[in-house]
Amino acid sequence: MIQYLRIRYKFFMMAALGVIAIVLMSLLAQNISKDGFKRLQDVFDDSKKVQHIQRDFIAPLFNLREITLALVTAPNNDYRREIKKDLIPLMQKLDASFSFLNDSEINLIWQNYKKLILLTDEYMQLGFEEGAFTNVNNSERKQFYILVSKLEQIQEVQLSNSSSTFKKAENNFYDKEQLIIAGAILVVCLTLIFGFLIARNIVFSIENVQTGLDQFFNLLGRKIDKDEKISISLKSRDEFGEMAKKINTNVEILRNNLKKDLHIIESATNVLDEIKKGNLSSRLKELASSDELNRLQHVMNEMLDNLNERIMLEINERTKQEQLLIQQSKLASMGNMIGNIAHQWRQPLSEVNAILMSIQAQKENNDLDDETFFKGFEECDTILAHMSNTISDFQNFFKPSKSKCKFSLQEACKSASFIIESSLKYNQIHYEMNFVQNSEVFGYPREFSQAILNILSNAKDILLERKIKNPYIKLTLLQGEKYALIKIQDNGGGIQGEIIDSIFEPYFTTKHASRGTGIGLYMSKIIIEANMQGYLNAKNTEEGALFIIKLSLEKEPDKK
Amino acid sequence: MIVKILLYCAMSILAVANEDIITPIHYIDDNLDTNLLHERLQGSHIKVSIPSIPYHYVSKLINGTLLRIADTPQGWEYMMATGHTKIDELTYDLTLRQGVKFQDGTLFDANSVIKNINAFLKQPFTYTDIHHRLKNVEKIDAYHVRFHLWKPYGMFLNDLAAINLYSNAYLDKFSWQGSATGANTQEAGRYGLGPYILEEGYAVGRKQTPRIKLKANPYYYESTKPYIENITIYTQLTTDEAVKMILINEGLLDISPIPFNKKTEATLSRYAKLLTMPSKNNIMIYFNLMKHKGILKNKEIRIALNKAINQPRLLNFIYKNEGHLAPTESSINYLSIRNATEKLPTYGENISDTEAQYLKSILSGLELNVVTQDRFLFLWKGIEYQLNQFGVHINYSITTSEKDIYELLLTNRKNPKDWDMLTWGNDDWYGNHPWTTFFAYRTSSEWSSIDQDNILQKYIEEFFAYPSDSVAFQEIVNKIVQRTYENAYMLFLPSPNLVLAINKEVFYAPSAVAIMPLWEAKISKNHWSIRQDSYPKERLSPMKPIKVIK
Ligand SMILES: Nc1ncnc2c1ncn2[C@@H]1O[C@H](COP(=O)(O)OP(=O)(O)OP(=O)(O)O)[C@@H](O)[C@H]1O
Ligand SMILES: [Mg+2]
């Protein structure tokens, strides 16, 4: 029957049940509190009696006691007279209260207490202060506490009366309480049963819609095979029933669109895979059901075309630049080489010159014999052979290494030094090499020597440029467990602080265009770091620049 | 019917348990009369504590003088003299008592007086001005003598009450030894004319034994007196000892001054009763103006200290009302002092908050050395409490014996001491005459701790000249009081009453001047010294205190 009601009626029924339950309960409660009120009145009356003893007897008695004490401790008669003004009326008031109490025993004690107070007063008037003091603190005090304790006994009795009345009220309350509990249980039970039935109906509908929606969302999340049948089987005629029907038709439309889009996404993934492999010519061809996907497909294709074109351009540009760089580097090396050869040749040339001059002189004097001429000629020949060797040494030096191989760092440094040594000597630059031991590393020996040479020439340039006194360059080779270290230190005053971060960049130079290209350190860095997996760093020390090369000692560094 | 009602009433009374009705303490009356013994019994004995000027009190018990200090308007009564005539300002005739014997049985007559006065003139006491004013004495006949003065001396007769008359034997041995303090018999023996013979111990000014024993003089001129055969005197008991001995025990002490705060205990005692009486005792708190760099040389400080004392409070809380407000150290129970101080307020009355603040600013941080006998300590605690409010700190030197006080006071002038304040219980040794306190202002004497005050010195010279019943006398007293008040030469406290504990079985009427008329004291047949049986139980109840109002 409930099945055919609208939800709003179902809720209304539940609310009505609640209201009925509350009305019933409050009726019951009202009945009980009316009863309780009457009982409380009784308790109140009794406690008023207790309070009466407190107010009319005990409190004034304490007051009286306080006054008599004050009487004795008062510093002089003026004070005493003031205090006594309160004493007599208070005693009269208490007299009245006690006669009203109608308890002969207590009354007798009160009369005696009064006598003792009057005695204290009498002693004070006689100037017998010690007597008054003793009386107040002794007999009068004792009598006072007996009197008060008697009154408290009465109070006790009345208090227990009032508490028994209270007890009765309490019991009554508990009886009624049980009735309330029983009634409440009944009402609650009934409400629960009806409520449960209605609620179950509503919840059932909700659950049905929920499972349908769950399946639908699972479908969207591809947790369900797209061919599986999804529909909410709800036959109730309320709002939920209508909702279920609408959801079912929509699900069907959605499912078909979904199938189409899935297909285009798959083909897009394929295209991307192709591009990953390097095939930039692959494109999306199929059409999707949704416009958005179609637009996406279009944008993607266009993007791919664009990308392809750009990459080609970039590659061309790079190749061109690199070639230029290599060309420049070669030119620079060549310039350097010529300079160095010039220095290497200076000495043998002047020797040849000397020999030739002496031969010439002897000839002019007609002093030249054959022996001398041939000896001179032989000497020149040897010297020239040596010079030619030098050239080939230089050529070898600048030839690229054929492949990576194991080589001695000591040797590599020596061959770099050989190139520049005479130029240094000529310029009176002190040059020093320290090898703790010979270290072998894996890499390109010639290129490495070139790198060292670059660093040494830079130092030489700086020392000359800055006209340093007592210039020197020190090269030290150190070896640890895993690494070899090469330090090249000069006393040229160091790299200017603001440029220290830029020196390794290509084309960075502080020299005049005719003298430096700014490629030396860039190339050195590429050789040591990119080709040999080492490190090249520069820093300033107190005297000048320090270049540190760190190389791994492992045989095959790593095969990238 | 009536019987029935009565019965009911009785029953209802009985119904109330006895312990619920408290009966007040019953005080027995001091009704000794019927039991008093009017004759001296062998073995009768009382014990007395005399913490202040014991040499003076003992002297008055063992020695005869021409006049005896007494609580009379002029301050004396006849003793060895029976009458006098003032011939002129410089000449006095005295008639002597006849038939009197010294304690050793030798006769007293004009010769004895001449010999004594001549000996006295050789070494007089110096605490009055007699040594500057008495010229000589001449014998008229066996019982008449004539005194000649250098200058008029209003205190002459009073001074005669201080000149002991010794037997020939004593004079031959010791002569007259006057000094700054009162003179007294140097050793035990039958040397005097007084009612008692010094039997053991002695007390002379700066020296004394803790215990002194006296025995009744059989030759005493008032033939029935004394009524008690033996007297033991203690000179150095602590207050606690004395209080315990007299209030808690029987037979240890019969007469003793007690601190004011022991009044209730004395009232409730099983063996003793309380006696209070206005006195002419003066509590002298000297300021040491002699002290090297002593702060109390500063008059402003002296006044501030006096202003810091709230006398009404002291009277209420410390004196337990046993005393009267007094603007100076002199007891206002002297008529002349009462007149002189009538218009003077006590310093500490009505101090405003701002004034209190000011006092604090000058007193705060002051440290004062105080010398006191232990019996004044309760009073000092009250003073200290009040002074503490103003930031004054007190260091005590405490002694039980008055001789220590004398030592510090009487050598201070020659050789200034370190104390700032010194307490001395100055009982009215001069007999109803303010010289008792004024003598401390004579800067030429050891008794003064004032460095210099020529005006005051001049007043005092003038003061000597007038008899105490003259108008000029009152005028000069006014001036002296005004001067000492304005300069705040001492710490002024209320005038104390005499507060004594006395054995219930002793009848003793104290004098208002510094003399203990023990020769007139009597004991009852229940007194511990002569009683055969145990002490009657009803006598253990507290006794109504005796309040003598003059
Ligand atoms: N030892 C050094 N002390 C001071 N500055 C140095 C040192 N070595 C290099 N530099 C600085 O670093 C810059 C870059 O050096 P790099 O070798 O790259 O170029 P370059 O020497 O100027 O020209 P080239 O390409 O001919 O070597 C130099 O111009 C110089 O300013
Ligand atoms: Mg370079």
Side-chain angles (χ1 to χ4, degrees), chain A residues 87-231:
Chain A
L87 186 73
I88 304 301
L90 189 60
M91 288 212 292
Q92 282 166 352
K93 211 179 111 189
L94 273 162
D95 254 340
S97 298
F98 274 106
S99 62
F100 184 75
L101 190 68
N102 217 355
D103 183 319
S104 61
E105 183 194 333
I106 288 183
N107 204 19
L108 213 65
I109 295 173
W110 156 244
Q111 291 303 334
N112 193 56
Y113 178 55
K114 215 168 65 176
K115 242 185 263 164
L116 288 169
I117 291 174
L118 292 174
L119 184 66
T120 300
D121 183 39
E122 188 189 318
Y123 282 158
M124 281 317 282
Q125 279 175 17
L126 288 174
F128 182 20
E129 285 172 21
E130 298 76 29
F133 181 74
T134 311
N135 192 47
V136 136
N137 285 306
N138 200 320
S139 319
E140 197 192 302
R141 181 169 175 273
K142 278 185 201 154
Q143 191 63 85
F144 171 76
Y145 281 109
I146 289 170
L147 184 56
V148 168
S149 83
K150 291 279 173 202
L151 287 165
E152 278 170 350
Q153 276 167 22
I154 298 180
Q155 219 178 8
E156 196 71 29
V157 171
Q158 278 166 353
L159 205 66
S160 77
N161 276 348
S162 115
S163 85
S164 76
T165 316
F166 180 75
K167 191 89 210 160
K168 263 186 222 157
E170 203 182 16
N171 287 340
N172 185 271
F173 173 76
Y174 284 129
D175 292 347
K176 295 280 179 174
E177 195 185 33
Q178 277 161 12
L179 201 73
I180 290 189
I181 291 172
I185 290 174
L186 191 75
V187 172
V188 167
C189 282
L190 282 174
T191 319
L192 273 180
I193 290 166
F194 278 103
F196 174 75
L197 285 175
I198 297 167
R200 199 183 65 151
N201 182 265
I202 296 171
V203 169
F204 175 74
S205 303
I206 294 174
E207 274 175 350
N208 242 325
V209 175
Q210 195 187 6
T211 31
L213 284 173
D214 265 354
Q215 281 174 341
F216 172 62
F217 285 121
N218 281 341
L219 174 76
L220 286 180
R222 295 223 244 150
K223 280 185 192 146
I224 291 180
D225 186 15
K226 43 193 175 293
D227 297 327
E228 201 180 305
K229 182 85 183 154
I230 295 173
S231 71

Side-chain angles (χ1 to χ4, degrees), chain A residues 454 458 461 511 520-521:
Chain A
N454 281 337
N458 282 348
D461 292 347
K511 294 166 192 166
L521 285 179

